[in-house]
Amino acid sequence: MTSMPMQPWFSDAKLGIFLHYGIYAVDGVPESWAFYGGRVPHDQYMKQLDGFTASQYDPGAWADLFARAGAKYAVLTARHHDGVALWDTAHGDLNVVRRTPAGRDLVAPYAEALRARGLKVGLYYSHSDWNHPDYASVVHPEPPNEDVRTNRFVAPKDGVEDPDAWARYLAYRNGQVGELVDRFRPDLLWFDGEWERSEEQWGMRELSEQILAGNPETVLNARMLSYGDYATPEQGVPLTPPDGPWELCLTVNDSWGYQGQDQNHKSVRQLVRYFTETIAMGGNLLLDVGPREDGTITAEQTERLEGLGSWIARHSDAVYGTVAGLPAGHHYGPSTVSADRRTVYLICFDTPRESLSLRGLRNKVERVSVVGTGTELAHRVIGGLGAVPGVVWIDAPEAGDVDEYATVLAVELDGELDLYRGAGRD
């Protein structure tokens, strides 16, 4: 872990937007992986440089959308595994400024637009570069999979290592990361590709020291290995939350970058579920969209971000300024707890019928109300014996107080949350 404490803004953010934007949007193929796995020939993949225009790129419109979605930060793919940088890097010439019709730096206006709207700036950068001539020059000492051992974009030909080439590659990578830190001052650096080399081969300690010397407040993800600040599970809510801060990376459809044929979009209701289940376990949701090559975000993805944002806006008290909620079994659904631990927010995906129960609560309940409408609900305690508390039964809200996606009840307590976790009377 880094020596700096975790930046408090991160755990308070709850929602970030991930943007996989690059030349892969021209043909709508899987970002970098399309040529790595042989789905398309390498030269065909690289011909997409000629079609990348960013002709309607409007990071101000992006930032407005992210703010409407309720996000507090965003992460843009400054350079994916294909090595194509979205800024005018002095390290190599494979970038959209010199090699595509876009012809300009796309990172600076993105950072400026986010900051103008009070959003934190995140940049994604892959340690690996499957196009760099010096990359496939050393062997991972314990390859995690066969691809790392044999793929021609990763492994040296015939297994013959070239330490000098690897040193040149690290200088290139460190130079590009240095540019990102110095020019754009990102609040967060989101690394990837770490599985292809060992921590020692990557020089993670030196890279971490370089970044934090440039900006000591930079948040680093776990793909800096032991120098990362937070964990990054992908595509599925973990059943047991990772230790410490974490973030669930989730696509709106099935693809990270723009793939026009992929219409398997998650519904707003599903996104509300993913989001609330994640924050109830103390994590953030990093929700991914794939802009088209011209820089526009599709109507389907825009509608879903706005739908999630509308739900968050109606229930902001249960989202921002909260911490992880009750352990499983106390309430049938996710929950969050206010930072002062005096209010529990119960999230109900289905329309409550007759009553809801809250079990194992030692506190006295002062008031229960529906978040968003303020309607107060009657409640009573039934049962209990000695140290074992009874069950708090809450009257179900009327139809007019039921939210389309998830109804939230605020349970105000007489003091800090105090839960009974025992096995009942012997």
Side-chain angles (χ1 to χ4, degrees):
M1 299 295 284
T2 64
S3 57
M4 292 292 295
M6 184 58 166
Q7 297 301 313
W9 71 261
F10 180 83
S11 293
D12 290 341
K14 309 304 181 188
L15 181 65
I17 304 298
F18 212 175
L19 295 133
H20 278 67
Y21 184 42
I23 65 167
Y24 35 86
V26 174
D27 292 343
V29 296
E31 58 296 328
S32 306
W33 296 97
F35 73 82
Y36 175 93
R39 175 170 164 176
V40 302
H42 179 261
D43 61 345
Q44 181 180 326
Y45 181 94
M46 297 310 293
K47 277 184 184 146
Q48 293 177 106
L49 287 164
D50 299 333
F52 186 76
T53 67
S55 59
Q56 297 187 60
Y57 178 56
D58 183 354
W62 280 10
D64 288 340
L65 173 60
F66 305 159
R68 291 199 301 278
K72 301 299 182 185
Y73 65 109
V75 177
L76 171 66
T77 48
R79 178 174 78 61
H80 208 267
H81 315 309
D82 61 12
V84 181
L86 299 190
W87 78 100
D88 189 12
T89 176
H91 301 272
D93 73 344
L94 187 53
N95 63 76
V96 300
V97 184
R98 297 184 225 175
R99 299 282 296 276
T100 77
R104 64 193 188 283
D105 169 26
L106 302 179
V107 177
Y110 156 84
E112 185 180 337
L114 261 58
R115 291 200 167 103
R117 289 152 183 82
L119 303 178
K120 298 291 186 182
V121 175
L123 295 175
Y124 166 112
Y125 183 88
S126 174
H127 293 293
S128 58
D129 181 342
W130 297 333
N131 263 312
H132 196 284
D134 292 322
Y135 184 65
S137 55
V138 294
V139 178
H140 192 301
E142 298 178 1
N145 58 56
E146 191 61 23
D147 268 353
V148 171
R149 190 193 311 273
T150 61
N151 189 287
R152 68 188 178 98
F153 297 109
V154 179
K157 192 174 182 185
D158 301 323
V160 179
E161 296 196 324
D162 184 346
D164 291 340
W166 184 246
R168 290 194 300 270
Y169 179 78
L170 288 182
Y172 152 82
R173 183 215 45 188
N174 295 349
Q176 287 198 329
V177 172
E179 288 177 335
L180 294 179
V181 173
D182 294 342
R183 288 195 208 172
F184 311 119
R185 311 291 294 172
D187 301 287
L188 184 153
L189 279 171
W190 208 105
F191 286 96
D192 201 5
E194 82 296 340
W195 66 88
E196 294 191 333
R197 302 287 185 258
S198 69
E199 181 167 311
E200 187 176 358
Q201 286 173 319
W202 283 128
M204 291 299 197
R205 180 177 62 81
E206 295 82 359
L207 181 61
S208 168
E209 290 172 352
Q210 172 190 325
I211 294 166
L212 297 178
N215 179 10
E217 296 186 347
T218 310
V219 174
L220 305 174
N221 73 335
R223 299 168 196 204
M224 281 292 290
L225 300 175
S226 58
Y227 296 91
D229 295 308
Y230 71 94
T232 52
E234 289 185 20
Q235 296 289 50
V237 179
L239 295 180
T240 303
D243 292 334
W246 62 281
E247 167 191 80
L248 172 65
C249 313
L250 183 77
T251 50
V252 171
N253 54 4
D254 291 333
S255 310
W256 296 101
Y258 172 73
Q259 295 187 44
Q261 83 290 350
D262 180 1
Q263 293 298 312
N264 193 28
H265 294 89
K266 297 167 185 68
S267 67
V268 173
R269 180 171 284 105
Q270 286 174 320
L271 293 176
V272 168
R273 280 210 177 205
Y274 276 108
F275 176 65
T276 54
E277 288 171 350
T278 299
I279 67 171
M281 295 171 69
N284 289 351
L285 179 62
L286 185 63
L287 187 58
D288 176 81
V289 295
R292 300 183 188 91
E293 67 80 18
D294 66 4
T296 58
I297 296 171
T298 67
E300 294 86 353
Q301 297 198 341
T302 297
E303 286 164 12
R304 281 157 178 80
L305 293 190
E306 290 177 337
L308 176 60
S310 295
W311 185 90
I312 292 173
R314 292 194 297 275
H315 302 92
S316 58
D317 287 351
V319 173
Y320 306 116
T322 65
V323 296
L326 305 171
H330 291 277
H331 158 65
Y332 293 102
S335 61
T336 58
V337 177
S338 61
D340 66 6
R341 302 194 67 78
R342 294 176 68 99
T343 304
V344 178
Y345 297 99
L346 306 178
I347 298 159
C348 308
F349 295 132
D350 298 315
T351 301
R353 292 183 296 179
E354 186 185 325
S355 55
L356 298 91
S357 66
L358 180 55
R359 305 193 301 169
L361 185 66
R362 287 197 175 109
N363 304 79
K364 179 175 181 285
V365 173
E366 300 280 10
R367 183 173 183 266
V368 181
S369 59
V370 180
V371 176
T373 69
T375 301
E376 189 164 349
L377 301 176
H379 66 276
R380 68 202 65 80
V381 177
I382 298 178
L385 179 64
V388 182
V391 175
V392 179
W393 290 93
I394 301 165
D395 285 359
E398 300 290 334
D401 287 309
V402 173
D403 187 86
E404 181 182 3
Y405 301 125
T407 304
V408 184
L409 308 185
V411 181
E412 299 171 38
L413 310 176
D414 64 349
E416 288 192 22
L417 176 65
D418 183 11
L419 293 178
Y420 173 76
R421 301 286 292 157
R425 189 179 176 209
D426 293 337

